[in-house]
Amino acid sequence: MKKIFGAKKNKDPPPTIQDATERINKRGDTVDDKIKKLDAELARYKEQIKKTRPGPAQEAVKARAMRVLKQRRMYEGQRDMLYNQTYNLDQVAFAAEGLKDAQQTMTAMKAANKELKGMMKTVKLEDIDSMQDEMMDLMDVSNEIQETLGRSYNVPDDIDEEELMGELDALEADMDFESESVPSYLQPDKEPDQESELNLPAAPTGHAQPNRQQEDELGLPTVPHASIRT
């Protein structure tokens, strides 16, 4: 039967966006190379036009330059078209990647939602409230036990605070009396006064009076007797 009707051919898989983008980029590179060659040719014709005199020779060079310029414009249009196609393919690839990310996000969220639902079935709010109440009761009982164990057995409950303050004042008075009755040789030594050890004279408090020289009857200063030579 296969020999009569022939075997079914396997179809090639459709090209991906990445394959189409690479193919268009290769075509764009080829067009760019052609445009570079035409630019070099135009530059050569430009130099020839400058060197030749006006006439049939210069017109022939201009005609060849015009032909090259038309080809260059055509290749530039093809390059722009290829660039637009590449841009469109990039936009499609970006949108496809965004959709794939959204699908993965939705799958992850569904799995997390299912897991949370299963966990919520094992946890009940009533059980949490009852556990909290039990913990509070246990803490209260623990505090009562600690207070009971911390009580003093010999301290009566009916102690008057004023009476205790009176006893404290009496103890302080006894301590002051004992410190006053200690002999001098048992009391701590005091630091000696340096000024009393040096026995320095006291500084004068009044203003110093200047030495006034005596005057005779005529108002002249008198000469001491010791200074008069005999």
Side-chain angles (χ1 to χ4, degrees):
M1 296 296 292
K2 290 182 179 181
K3 293 180 180 180
I4 298 173
F5 296 101
K8 186 177 181 181
K9 296 182 180 180
N10 295 326
K11 293 182 179 180
D12 296 332
T16 61
I17 297 176
Q18 185 68 26
D19 296 336
T21 303
E22 292 178 355
R23 180 179 177 82
I24 293 175
N25 288 332
K26 289 180 180 179
R27 289 179 61 191
D29 295 338
T30 303
V31 173
D32 288 334
D33 294 336
K34 290 181 180 180
I35 291 174
K36 289 179 181 179
K37 291 179 180 180
L38 293 177
D39 289 337
E41 190 174 356
L42 284 173
R44 186 172 67 254
Y45 288 152
K46 185 176 180 181
E47 293 294 330
Q48 290 179 5
I49 292 171
K50 289 181 179 179
K51 293 179 181 179
T52 56
R53 295 179 180 180
Q58 189 180 38
E59 293 297 330
V61 175
K62 287 183 179 180
R64 287 195 294 270
M66 290 295 294
R67 179 176 53 80
V68 173
L69 185 60
K70 290 179 181 180
Q71 291 180 357
R72 185 177 182 275
R73 294 283 181 86
M74 181 186 65
Y75 286 136
E76 286 179 351
Q78 292 180 0
R79 183 182 62 182
D80 294 338
M81 182 181 62
L82 292 174
Y83 285 166
N84 291 330
Q85 292 179 5
T86 304
Y87 176 77
N88 294 331
L89 288 174
D90 291 338
Q91 293 294 324
V92 173
F94 181 78
E97 292 294 332
L99 290 175
K100 288 180 181 179
D101 294 338
Q103 289 177 354
Q104 292 180 357
T105 303
M106 288 297 297
T107 304
M109 291 180 67
K110 288 180 180 180
N113 188 17
K114 184 177 180 181
E115 185 177 359
L116 285 174
K117 287 181 179 180
M119 294 173 63
M120 291 299 294
K121 291 180 180 179
T122 59
V123 179
K124 295 182 180 180
L125 186 60
E126 294 81 3
D127 297 338
I128 297 175
D129 292 336
S130 62
M131 183 182 65
Q132 291 289 338
D133 294 337
E134 291 178 0
M135 291 296 295
M136 292 178 66
D137 295 337
L138 291 174
M139 292 300 296
D140 293 337
V141 173
S142 177
N143 292 331
E144 292 179 0
I145 293 173
Q146 295 296 328
E147 291 178 358
T148 303
L149 294 176
R151 292 177 183 175
S152 299
Y153 299 105
N154 295 328
V155 178
D157 296 335
D158 55 350
I159 295 178
D160 191 0
E161 293 185 358
E162 294 182 358
E163 183 179 354
L164 292 176
M165 291 299 295
E167 292 182 3
L168 182 61
D169 294 338
L171 289 174
E172 291 179 354
D174 293 340
M175 292 174 65
D176 293 337
F177 177 74
E178 289 178 358
S179 61
E180 291 177 357
S181 61
V182 174
S184 60
Y185 61 86
L186 294 179
Q187 293 182 358
D189 296 335
K190 296 182 179 180
E191 295 182 358
D193 191 358
Q194 295 181 358
E195 294 182 357
S196 61
E197 290 182 357
L198 295 176
N199 294 324
L200 296 176
T205 58
H207 296 286
Q209 296 293 332
N211 294 327
R212 300 183 63 183
Q213 194 173 7
Q214 296 180 359
E215 299 177 355
D216 55 5
E217 296 176 355
L218 298 177
L220 298 174
T222 58
V223 180
H225 296 285
S227 63
I228 300 174
R229 296 181 181 179
T230 56

